[in-house]
């Protein structure tokens, strides 16, 4: 069960990191309309950007212009992303099981058609 849990956690962490990366890009480029993810469909963009907590707020570690530094919040961000990844493992498990079922069904369909096609060709050659 440990490999399954580890895989689920890593995939969940990947999803969380993608979500936060898109959120950072939205905050940085969303105002001028040159966002790098314009190729994503709107429903996927909304899903990816629906972050429940916003870790990118003001902090005590500012530069002269009032911007905060990423390195000052890395530990808090890591804890929050890991917590969110643990919370979404159930959803990721359902998605991976459905993806595996669709993949196996497609594989069965391809192999079955190939088998019956070859069997039909062999039967046709035996007749002649």
């Amino acid at each position: 069960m440990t490999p399954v849990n580890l895989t689920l956690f890593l995939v969940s962490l990947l999803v969380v990191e993608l979500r936060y990366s898109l959120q950072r890009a939205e905050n940085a480029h969303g105002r001028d309309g040159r966002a790098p993810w314009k190729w994503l469909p709107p429903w996927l963009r909304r899903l990816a950007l629906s972050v429940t907590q916003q870790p990118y707020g003001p902090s005590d570690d500012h530069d002269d212009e009032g911007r905060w530094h990423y390195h000052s919040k890395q530990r808090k961000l890591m804890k929050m992303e890991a917590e969110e990844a643990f919370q979404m493992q159930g959803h990721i498990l359902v998605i991976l099981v459905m993806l595996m079922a669709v993949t196996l069904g497609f594989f069965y369909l391809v192999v079955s058609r190939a088998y019956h096609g070859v069997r039909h060709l062999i039967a046709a050659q035996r007749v002649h």
Side-chain angles (χ1 to χ4, degrees):
M1 200 63 183
T2 300
V4 173
N5 287 334
L6 179 64
T7 303
L8 288 175
F9 176 70
L10 291 176
V11 171
S12 299
L13 200 57
L14 177 71
V15 169
V16 169
E17 180 58 32
L18 173 67
R19 188 183 272 182
Y20 283 129
S21 295
L22 287 174
Q23 183 67 37
R24 282 191 298 272
E26 172 79 16
N27 289 341
H29 300 288
R31 295 176 213 106
D32 59 3
R34 296 181 327 202
W37 60 88
K38 289 295 183 187
W39 53 271
L40 285 176
W43 64 270
L44 185 57
R45 208 175 316 141
R46 278 192 308 273
L47 178 69
L49 294 175
S50 64
V51 179
T52 56
Q53 301 173 357
Q54 181 53 264
Y56 307 106
S59 73
D60 297 333
D61 190 12
H62 290 84
D63 62 4
D64 294 336
E65 297 176 8
R67 295 176 299 194
W68 62 274
H69 297 284
Y70 176 74
H71 63 82
S72 65
K73 289 191 174 188
Q74 282 182 344
R75 182 167 291 155
K76 291 178 186 177
L77 290 173
M78 183 180 62
K79 284 181 182 179
M80 192 177 72
E81 288 178 358
E83 180 182 326
E84 191 172 341
F86 278 121
Q87 290 175 355
M88 81 171 27
Q89 278 184 337
H91 299 289
I92 298 296
L93 176 63
V94 170
I95 291 170
L96 288 178
V97 166
M98 288 173 46
L99 185 64
M100 190 172 70
V102 168
T103 302
L104 285 175
F106 180 75
F107 181 73
Y108 173 78
L109 181 69
V110 168
V111 169
S112 174
R113 289 196 181 247
Y115 172 74
H116 289 297
V118 169
R119 193 170 141 198
H120 179 72
L121 285 175
I122 292 173
Q125 283 188 356
R126 285 187 182 170
V127 171
H128 295 297

